[in-house]
Amino acid sequence: MVQDFAARQESAFRSLASLAGGLATIAAVIVGAILAVFAAATVAVIAVMASALLAFAGFAMRARRTVRARRTDSDIIEARHQGGHHWVAYGWNERR
């Protein structure tokens, strides 16, 4: 009976270790929650930057189509060989 009583007693270090383990668990949960918030914020920032990049690419494509559609005159001067050393250029005096 005395041996059973002595075997069942817990030491003070065991209760301190249990308390330290609980505190470490709480600290780990808090650090994990903070890291999860930072990871979610990072994903959100990447999504915003990607959507801005796509918007700018769309604007660039629209501007490119607009510039091509409005341009009716060409900057090319037509030249014809008349024979020998004679060339005649057309369209150079109509350039702006």
Side-chain angles (χ1 to χ4, degrees):
M1 188 155 157
V2 174
Q3 289 178 346
D4 292 334
F5 179 73
R8 289 186 185 166
Q9 282 187 344
E10 297 180 4
S11 68
F13 290 121
R14 186 170 181 154
S15 63
L16 284 176
S18 174
L19 183 64
L23 290 175
T25 302
I26 291 171
V29 168
I30 291 171
V31 169
I34 291 171
L35 288 176
V37 168
F38 280 129
T42 301
V43 170
V45 168
I46 289 172
V48 167
M49 291 174 67
S51 64
L53 177 68
L54 288 176
F56 286 135
F59 291 147
M61 294 301 288
R62 183 185 305 171
R64 185 176 177 189
R65 281 192 304 257
T66 304
V67 169
R68 282 188 180 174
R70 288 184 184 166
R71 187 171 182 170
T72 57
D73 60 340
S74 101
D75 290 339
I76 298 175
I77 298 173
E78 183 179 349
R80 294 192 184 178
H81 185 238
Q82 297 293 324
H85 294 290
H86 300 286
W87 287 82
V88 176
Y90 298 98
W92 62 271
N93 56 346
E94 299 167 1
R95 294 176 71 185
R96 295 180 190 159

